[in-house]
Amino acid sequence: MEKKYAITVDDLTVAYNYKPVLWDIDLAIPEGVLMAIVGPNGAGKSTLIKSILGIIKPIAGSVKIFGKPYKKQHQEVAYVPQKGSVDWDFPTTALDVVMMGTYGSLGWIKRPGQKEKKAALEALEKVGMLSFKSRQISQLSGGQQQRIFLARALVQNASIYLMDEPFQGVDATTEKAIINILKELRKAGKTLIVVHHDLQTVPEYFDWVTFLNVKKIATGPVKDIFNDGNLTKTYGINYKVSVQE
Amino acid sequence: MGITEYIDLLFTDYTLQTVTLGTAVLGALCGMLGSFAVLRKQSLLGDAISHAALPGIAIAFLITETKNSNALLIGALISGLIGAFWIRGIVKNTHLKSDTALGLILSLFFGFGMLLLTFIQKMPNANQAGLNKYLFGQAATLVSSDVWTMCFIAGLSLLVLLVFWKEFKLLLFDADYAKSLGFNIKFLDVLITFFIVLCIVIGLQAVGVVLMSAMLLAPAAAARQWTNSLGVMVLLAAIFGSFSGVLGTAISASSSNLSTGPVIVLIAAVFVLFSFVFSPKRGLLFREIRYWNNRNDLQLHKTLAFMYNIAKTHKNKEHPHTVKILNNFQGFTKKSLQKLEDREYIKVNKSMWSLTEKGFDKASNLYNQLENNE
């Protein structure tokens, strides 16, 4: 049986200056998985995501989304950047940020209308932020800002979701709320790729995992490859994680 | 010259009309595009570009040997654009950070421009006098064709901003995300940079190389204080900029020895100062006031909470207690009791106090409310 891959990465190498940030990465991500990318700081996790999205131009290698280049497939992909990558003092409201998720399908010049607003409100409701829709974004807490970013991606109604540390700086309640939404998306057949830092929760949250430290260490189902051996290879120290079944 | 005289003159004097209209349009244009520069954290880009335009002016003069402002403007535009894109190139291709790149280009181009200006001044050509006005600006030299050029460029900028409004907003807030949605952010970046350079260049004659960046930033910085909406901010910045232009021209026209550029910039600075102090949400004054109110409220709430803990032990909530009982507790004064009474949280009867129903409810919800505000 031939498996359908949502994302295939071939021989991807990225360098900002001289030192490679990603070295010869091969990756085939099957459709419908909820995958964690784990690795130490500076392992190139964000870079990998940005390269898949075409934000960073690689030195070598290629990325295919459902077999085609990203440029042709951007409507299939939703991106949740790191919360810290934008200026939250920007003069706009929560609803307005979520509306940005509709810009891609609108294309150039066309303005969002009632339909787009309705979709944005629904997404806000899904992440439990409807009552904050008119809030200036600087007046949201870190967890709320993260939910707004998630809502913005939900509005895109994509098949693939790439998320850069969506659990960073959020409290336990928000983390649970977000992971429930992610699991729901997977149930609906979506593919989710999440940069994740908390190794303890990997087996609980994810069914697929990629170990990354400049090179790809391993990738596959969590139950098969999430073990001390791969963790040690990735983090360079003797790593022991208590996996709760 | 008094204010009535000025207004009379405004309706009769053609030069004054031209200059006033010119500075008003220029101010509006600068405010509009300046908002984008400020929100892109490229405030200093304007300064570098305006300085970078100087050699272009000198070279254009050397080639055409006239002071035709359109020719000089094109020279300024070309060298301003070269400066802007060199800055981009340096940041992109070297380890240098943007402040270093800006400083480098600014001083390099300005130095070269000054060199050319001194060279021009020594040329045996009677025509060269007056190029110096591009250093500090001389609004009085604006003629109606200059003002028409300004109006045309302002109209064009407005059109481009309106057409690409959604795209520009996205670029300003989250450029990576814009790219992931399939937008060509390089095109948008070049487009907005081009218009910022254009705006700076047409302002040089009136405001000058040295002060031009203030024209770009001040109205935008002031406008940001009053609103949390991008659209309103751009509109307000345009209004502030245009008022600075008109008021500056009026003041410098009223007293003959003040040059217009610096006065316009000073007026814009007054807008900034006023906005930083008096804006209701972000201003310093109201922030201080809110801070003091919060402190006072907290003090009162502390006293109220203490009273609540005493009253709670009685079956009758409104059971009176002596004021003396509060003596052990430091958070009360006659004044704070009075304030609590004013808010109908307690009743004071000679040396006895009792909680009211309202006070009891308020006190029992104090901590919940703190959580809700979080």
Side-chain angles (χ1 to χ4, degrees), chain A residues 3-12 25-30 52 61-68 160:
Chain A
K3 241 184 182 173
K4 202 177 164 197
Y5 291 114
I7 299 174
T8 43
V9 176
D10 281 315
D11 303 332
L12 184 79
I25 306 282
D26 287 304
L27 205 58
I29 303 167
I52 293 173
S62 69
V63 174
K64 295 261 162 54
I65 311 289
F66 293 120
K68 289 185 198 144
I160 300 172

Side-chain angles (χ1 to χ4, degrees), chain B residues 47-357:
Chain B
D47 210 18
I49 292 170
S50 65
H51 284 76
L54 192 62
I57 293 171
I59 291 171
F61 175 79
L62 285 171
I63 293 171
T64 62
E65 298 204 331
T66 60
K67 279 186 297 186
N68 175 320
S69 50
N70 283 336
L72 299 187
L73 204 129
I74 288 169
L77 182 65
I78 292 171
S79 100
L81 284 173
I82 292 175
F85 289 104
W86 276 13
I87 292 167
R88 267 173 54 112
I90 291 175
V91 173
K92 219 172 166 187
N93 298 319
T94 71
H95 292 274
L96 296 178
K97 299 280 176 280
S98 70
D99 56 339
T100 318
L102 288 169
L104 213 61
I105 293 296
L106 183 151
S107 27
L108 197 72
F109 277 64
F110 189 60
F112 184 50
M114 288 305 287
L115 192 80
L116 289 174
L117 277 192
T118 17
F119 173 71
I120 289 169
Q121 251 150 27
K122 286 182 185 142
M123 276 193 347
N125 180 343
N127 211 4
Q128 82 270 33
L131 272 192
N132 275 340
K133 76 174 181 211
Y134 283 96
L135 280 181
F136 298 107
Q138 207 173 342
T141 59
L142 289 176
V143 293
S144 63
S145 70
D146 297 330
V147 175
W148 281 120
T149 313
M150 283 179 181
C151 288
F152 173 71
I153 289 172
L156 192 65
S157 309
L158 188 65
L159 191 71
V160 168
L161 285 192
L162 287 178
V163 168
F164 294 109
W165 181 257
K166 160 178 123 247
E167 287 78 11
F168 281 139
K169 180 155 74 172
L170 196 56
L171 176 76
L172 291 180
F173 178 63
D174 195 345
D176 278 355
Y177 185 70
K179 200 166 183 184
S180 85
L181 290 183
F183 289 103
N184 184 343
I185 60 168
K186 203 166 174 187
F187 166 73
L188 289 169
D189 187 28
V190 168
L191 193 67
I192 193 78
T193 309
F194 175 78
F195 275 95
I196 289 174
V197 174
L198 198 60
C199 159
I200 289 169
V201 164
I202 65 160
L204 291 181
Q205 191 184 350
V207 182
V209 163
V210 180
L211 291 175
M212 194 52 213
S213 70
M215 243 348 249
L216 204 62
L217 307 181
R224 178 68 189 93
Q225 294 296 105
W226 298 95
T227 175
N228 279 326
S229 145
L230 180 64
V232 178
M233 179 182 163
V234 172
L235 186 71
L236 271 182
I239 292 170
F240 288 165
S242 153
F243 266 97
S244 311
V246 172
L247 285 176
T249 311
I251 290 170
S252 90
S254 316
S255 36
S256 52
N257 285 329
L258 293 176
S259 59
T260 321
V263 178
I264 293 177
V265 168
L266 283 179
I267 300 281
V270 170
F271 273 110
V272 174
L273 202 66
F274 183 81
S275 305
F276 270 82
V277 177
F278 293 105
S279 103
K281 276 190 179 149
R282 299 164 70 96
L284 295 174
L285 181 71
F286 286 92
R287 201 172 67 191
E288 269 323 280
I289 291 173
R290 263 199 307 276
Y291 176 73
W292 279 108
N293 280 344
N294 280 345
R295 269 183 74 118
N296 287 338
D297 276 0
L298 277 179
Q299 199 79 352
L300 284 185
H301 288 164
K302 253 166 85 182
T303 314
L304 190 65
F306 185 75
M307 291 169 157
Y308 169 76
N309 283 331
I310 296 169
K312 221 169 41 176
T313 57
H314 292 266
K315 263 193 182 155
N316 176 13
K317 291 177 208 169
E318 298 178 27
H319 182 87
H321 302 271
T322 66
V323 172
K324 275 185 193 156
I325 206 169
L326 299 173
N327 271 356
N328 312 348
F329 179 68
Q330 294 175 334
F332 99 95
T333 56
K334 277 204 170 131
K335 221 170 151 187
S336 64
L337 282 185
Q338 183 64 47
K339 270 190 194 157
L340 284 171
E341 205 183 3
D342 288 347
R343 294 184 189 190
E344 295 175 3
Y345 291 157
I346 60 167
K347 281 187 202 133
V348 177
N349 190 358
K350 286 171 196 161
S351 63
M352 304 292 275
W353 62 266
S354 58
L355 274 181
T356 62
E357 192 77 31

Side-chain angles (χ1 to χ4, degrees), chain A residues 30-98:
Chain A
E31 198 181 355
V33 296
L34 175 47
M35 183 181 97
I37 300 177
V38 298
N41 292 330
K45 304 183 292 295
S46 299
T47 307
L48 177 60
I49 284 202
K50 285 183 180 172
S51 309
I52 293 173
L53 289 160
I55 294 168
I56 291 173
K57 224 175 136 193
I59 290 180
S62 69
V63 174
K64 295 261 162 54
I65 311 289
F66 293 120
K68 289 185 198 144
Y70 183 80
K71 273 194 178 161
K72 292 193 176 152
Q73 297 284 53
H74 62 79
Q75 302 236 19
E76 298 291 330
V77 184
Y79 174 40
V80 178
Q82 276 190 27
K83 195 174 64 190
S85 65
V86 302
D87 174 14
W88 288 94
D89 196 34
F90 192 81
T92 189
T93 58
L95 176 62
D96 212 30
V97 172
V98 177

